[in-house]
Amino acid sequence: MGKGRGCVWKRIAAFLFAVLLVASSASCIDAPRPPDQEKPPAFALLEDFSARMLEEGAPAVLIAVTDGDNTWTHAAGVRSLESGEPVTAADPVHVGTITESFVAVSVMKLVAEGKLDLDTQVSKYLPEFGNVLRPPGPVSVRQLLTHESGLPDFSVPLLTAGSWEETMNRPLSLEQQLALAATEPWDGRLARIFDYSRSNYAALALIVERLRGQEIGRVLSEDIAGTLDLKATRLGGSPPAALVHGYVTIEGTRRDVSMPAWQAESPATGAVSTVQEVNRFYAALLQGRLLPPDSVTAMKGGYSQYYGFALRRWNNTCNNRFYYGLPGDVDGYGMIAVASEDGSKQLALAVAYPPAPPTLDLNPLILEMQDVAQEALNSLCLEN
């Protein structure tokens, strides 16, 4: 809802919002709404976006909005184009690069326990880092978290090593991911700036594994899924039965990318979750239920930064503060998760993209999804 609306309308919309939230279910609203009542603009905006995505060929759209104790959900489309089975808001979906927020929490738990120093060189924790990757200068753990290390992205040589079928079905250990990164030249700039690379989180996950003595999927299960009772959230393992399928097109032929081997356990893009569980994760993180307050502050980044440790920042026009979360983009899927700074309000929007050729670049739809999510959350702040 725009800021220029009158107070009378805002009181009416607030009342309707409360009524709709109480009556919400996995299919949004059970009871029919009288035709002379208008639904809150946030939900109309999200439903319109969902309808347009389906018209453009998206197999599925899933949305969850939480405001305090109230939750509104929306699900449209099918779990797979082959089965035609209707999707539900509780179905798991690939969350793409939101996986990095999970890994960053496990990293910061080690920091809080005094087992890891962010400003220490990576080679202290991974002795082979210097010999295998040959960085042009010192690289700290902090620079991995913020994508300012200059470490080459392993997916570039991976996706040029053979046909799509060969690369997608090639399992890769963390060590193999870094070995692939070593075949690419480092960024030669002296001043480190944000330069996204999946290899950064491969290195971080390997550090976590060495310090915890167990695989990264197991660590995330204990640090996050187990702590918050997130039953659908996982990295690795067999695909969930209700997983929403995503697709790409290769030379005009549609291909299923719901569980490609190369990213099944990728700490940059491989996690599976639901829109509601992603909301619960970010709420718990921002409310200090996963990490100490100073660790949460560090993850948010400095006041002048839009990106911290796997947390991106957007403007919250409700209180002139910020939203935090992350976009998740991977072949076949996009998700945007946005939460208010106090964790009281969250929105997660997931789309199984309209099938298109795979690319290492961001799908343009993820940028539109960010705008829609931010506008929807901003419209929910109503004056009393």
Side-chain angles (χ1 to χ4, degrees), residues 194-322:
F194 181 92
D195 187 12
Y196 182 79
S197 169
R198 294 166 183 83
S199 304
N200 287 313
Y201 277 73
L204 286 168
L206 195 54
I207 291 173
V208 172
E209 289 191 346
R210 299 278 174 86
L211 293 177
R212 291 295 188 201
Q214 53 186 355
E215 293 183 350
I216 186 63
R218 180 63 180 170
V219 176
L220 296 184
S221 178
E222 293 181 0
D223 288 349
I224 297 165
T227 299
L228 300 176
D229 193 28
L230 306 181
K231 299 187 183 303
T233 301
R234 68 178 74 175
L235 177 64
S238 56
L243 181 67
V244 176
H245 289 236
Y247 302 86
V248 297
T249 55
I250 305 294
E251 297 180 349
T253 301
R254 190 179 74 213
R255 302 297 178 91
D256 190 315
V257 290
S258 55
M259 194 53 73
W262 79 270
Q263 70 167 18
E265 299 184 18
S266 167
T269 59
V272 167
S273 189
T274 70
V275 286
Q276 290 168 294
E277 290 193 0
V278 166
N279 277 346
R280 287 167 57 191
F281 163 74
Y282 280 110
L285 172 59
L286 293 168
Q287 290 170 355
R289 290 186 277 126
L290 290 173
L291 293 170
D294 59 338
S295 296
V296 178
T297 299
M299 284 191 65
K300 291 177 180 178
Y303 194 81
S304 61
Q305 297 173 290
Y306 83 96
Y307 187 90
F309 301 163
L311 280 183
R312 193 204 188 285
R313 190 179 74 188
W314 296 270
N315 291 328
N316 181 344
T317 60
C318 296
N319 57 13
N320 201 30
R321 293 291 300 173
F322 302 111

Side-chain angles (χ1 to χ4, degrees), residues 337-352:
V338 183
S340 59
E341 193 169 19
D342 63 359
S344 65
K345 195 178 297 184
Q346 314 99 44
L347 184 154
L349 164 61
V351 176

